[in-house]
Amino acid sequence: MNNKESQVVTGKLSDNERLKAQSKNLRGTISEDLDDIMTGGFNGDNFQLIRFHGMYQQDDRDIRAERAKQKLEPLQNLMLRARLPGGIITSKQWLAIDSFAGENTLYGSIRLTARQTFQYHGVLKPKLKAMHQLLSRAGIDSIATAGDVNRNVLCTSNPMESDLHQQAYEWAKRISEHLLPKTRAYAEIWLDGERIESVKLEEEPILGGNYLPRKFKTAVVIPPQNDVDVHANDLSFVAIAQNNELIGFNVLVGGGLAMTHGDKNTYPRKASEFGFIKLDKVLAVAEAVVTTQRDWGNRVERKNAKTKYTIERVGVETFKQEVERRAKVQFVEPKPYVFTERGDRIGWVEGIDKKFHLTLFIQNGRILDYPGKALKTGCVEIAKIHPGDFRLTANQNLIVAGVPSELKDKIEDIARQHGLITDHLSTQAKHSMACVSLPTCPLAMAEAERYLPDAIKNLEQILKRHGVEHDSIVFRISGCPNGCSRAMLAEVGLVGKGPNKYNLHLGGNRQGTRIPKMYLENATEQQIMSTLDELVALWSTERFDDEGFGDFVIRRQIVAEVIDSARDFYN
Ligand code: SRM
Ligand code: SF4
């Protein structure tokens, strides 16, 4: 038996494997469903297949019960997630994105995500084609932003050191293109491309006919910033530079943050260091990691299908050696690097190219015209005069990048007039994040985005009460254990359990290199805040100089450190 076969999990394949196999390379009968006026949604397998085209079927959970009472189908609508490697778009593209969001969606917003792209929520089925065609004319697609494929590739947002950033960003784009599905299904269905006869389907040399066992995430990170949270990714490339020239990457494999309540076979896991490679091996290594996971990933039990579980099952060394064999490369000792922080630098900074960059803090990434705070209009007014580009950050913020000095004041005025800059933003707010959750997310168990503003206010009061209001704690709320806000890399992470109930996790660190452990289970918001009040009191008086809250709770053994997730996370 060769190595490849010996690592395959045998048993009855999950139903997702059947539907991918029968999908005619992701075509299914999506086109037929578009003409079905009996439902606002997609039928059978198409419900899943549209994800590979960057869309999720949703309904507004706030009105679900009311509609059921009236014997109405839930108000089916679609969420779209675009593909923007490294999160960079031009002003012209911003204007195009904005032009669709307003009247054409039920919520009217552009939602910046934790993975450097944007989502529309609430698109009705009859508008889908027009939406894809408008985005396509602007040079944007939504291919492979969801489903069992390599997703939007991240790259540290760091326009200041522009040379290095540009080089790293080019790699993020190349990796994204290299790992994209080859099927032309997207163009055929949404852009009215020429139809291919079903007998002659495209080869998928990297992803394979059945695509990957599960979603796959890739990031390029430029230390000392860890804004992309490498440990949330299946595959990360840590940029190593000499004299501001990129010379190669350290490669990390097998990070991931989700778990399932009550199932100890699932857990968040940090990525494992494989070693350093030179630039000429980047695409080969990316491909080898993906194909190893494609061949060895668990296609029987979907809950254990991600790379992090494959690597735990076969062992880090075995996985690494297989990647070396496939990519014809030898990893060498990782080059030294440090991460110092993860937050965005809100406000203006000057780059080494003498251009200016303005990072706008967008709470929850939700760009909408609120009463007295027309954020969406403000972004449009900036885009109309801004000659540089926009950068979406992995912290759900927006950078107006490459502003020439003569436009700086004008752009600042617009941003202030529209509430995009305020002088009262706390350090705590800048280090807090929540996932979308209710009302659109079908998996949400508790509020997250809508709870975040109140939670931050409570936390700010606690910090103030104990005289540490100029400090902050990396604080994140996820509405369920999937952990989309990366609560499992926070110093304080809340994970939704039920309405107004969360598990409280403590002990991540500021750099994002430690998984926090559960401290309270199924606690109310009030219980959580009073617990934090007691712990911040201790931290404020007993911490070492500059000791972060997460490091403090570990040193004081308030929670045990998670070193090896498979061993420590639940014990
Ligand atoms: Fe996520 C599923 C939103 C980043 C782990 N995520 C979902 C869905 C699509 C719900 C669903 O499957 O029906 C959510 C849609 C909510 C909505 O109404 O918009 C959703 N995830 C998000 C976003 C928008 C959160 C945000 O507030 O920014 C992020 C979009 C990223 C993007 O642009 O691609 C988002 N999701 C993440 C992250 C963080 C990251 O990748 O850096 C994670 C944890 C990292 C990881 O993958 O381990 C994450 N999302 C999940 C999972 C759990 C996957 C697993 O390993 O089991 C699911 C559920 C699933 O896949 O079955 C999920
Ligand atoms: Fe939805 Fe859960 Fe992700 Fe929040 S963490 S967006 S509730 S899947």
Side-chain angles (χ1 to χ4, degrees), residues 133-353:
Q133 294 181 0
L134 179 143
L135 291 176
S136 174
R137 283 194 297 278
I140 297 171
D141 63 62
S142 61
I143 301 172
T145 53
D148 298 344
V149 284
N150 179 57
R151 306 277 185 97
N152 195 42
V153 178
L154 304 186
C155 181
T156 293
S157 306
N158 182 358
M160 284 76 75
E161 292 166 35
S162 44
D163 291 346
L164 184 57
H165 181 270
Q166 187 62 31
Q167 296 166 51
Y169 165 69
E170 293 299 337
W171 279 109
K173 237 170 55 174
R174 284 182 71 182
I175 297 164
S176 171
E177 301 291 332
H178 191 69
L179 299 177
L180 275 185
K182 305 291 176 255
T183 173
R184 284 190 38 80
Y186 181 88
E188 272 177 33
I189 299 169
W190 308 108
L191 310 179
D192 292 331
E194 194 189 335
R195 280 184 191 239
I196 289 183
E197 289 310 315
S198 55
V199 279
K200 254 191 93 211
L201 292 174
E202 309 86 345
E203 290 285 309
E204 290 283 9
I206 300 177
L207 300 172
N210 254 29
Y211 298 87
L212 301 181
R214 198 68 169 86
K215 52 166 65 164
F216 189 95
K217 297 182 172 176
T218 305
V220 175
V221 63
I222 312 174
Q225 267 287 343
N226 183 21
D227 56 344
V228 299
D229 266 328
V230 287
H231 292 292
N233 291 277
D234 297 68
L235 170 61
S236 290
F237 292 93
V238 181
I240 303 295
Q242 249 172 24
N243 305 324
N244 213 25
E245 267 301 308
L246 189 65
I247 56 161
F249 293 100
N250 287 344
V251 176
L252 279 82
V253 181
L257 303 181
M259 59 189 149
T260 303
H261 287 314
D263 180 350
K264 292 190 176 173
N265 291 321
T266 66
Y267 45 84
R269 181 189 190 276
K270 277 174 54 181
S272 306
E273 295 259 12
F274 274 22
F276 174 80
I277 52 156
K278 292 198 180 140
L279 295 176
D280 60 345
K281 284 293 178 187
V282 173
L283 294 184
V285 165
E287 186 173 324
V289 174
V290 168
T291 60
T292 304
Q293 162 61 5
R294 175 196 70 195
D295 296 340
W296 290 1
N298 188 337
R299 292 182 188 261
V300 173
E301 180 50 72
R302 237 177 122 67
K303 283 202 169 128
N304 294 120
K306 283 208 77 183
T307 316
K308 61 180 176 178
Y309 301 117
T310 312
I311 220 166
E312 282 288 341
R313 176 167 47 81
V314 306
V316 176
E317 256 327 289
T318 306
F319 198 113
K320 179 175 147 185
Q321 283 167 12
E322 183 66 9
V323 172
E324 292 185 320
R325 190 183 69 76
R326 293 183 186 214
K328 298 187 182 51
V329 70
Q330 202 80 55
F331 289 103
V332 298
E333 275 298 298
K335 303 277 181 206
Y337 66 95
V338 279
F339 290 132
T340 53
E341 55 172 321
R342 282 181 288 171
D344 295 335
R345 299 164 219 204
I346 304 299
W348 287 102
V349 286
E350 187 176 357
I352 54 171
D353 57 358

Side-chain angles (χ1 to χ4, degrees), residues 6 39 71 75 149 176 239 272 307-308 407 456 464 483 511 550:
S6 68
T39 169
K71 308 256 179 294
L75 182 55
V149 284
S176 171
S272 306
T307 316
K308 61 180 176 178
L407 275 179
I456 293 174
K464 190 157 184 218
Q511 303 77 14

Side-chain angles (χ1 to χ4, degrees), residues 106-121:
L106 297 176
Y107 301 91
S109 63
I110 299 169
R111 174 56 156 78
L112 310 183
T113 77
R115 290 189 71 82
Q116 291 186 308
T117 185
F118 70 90
Q119 291 181 177
Y120 293 138
H121 288 99

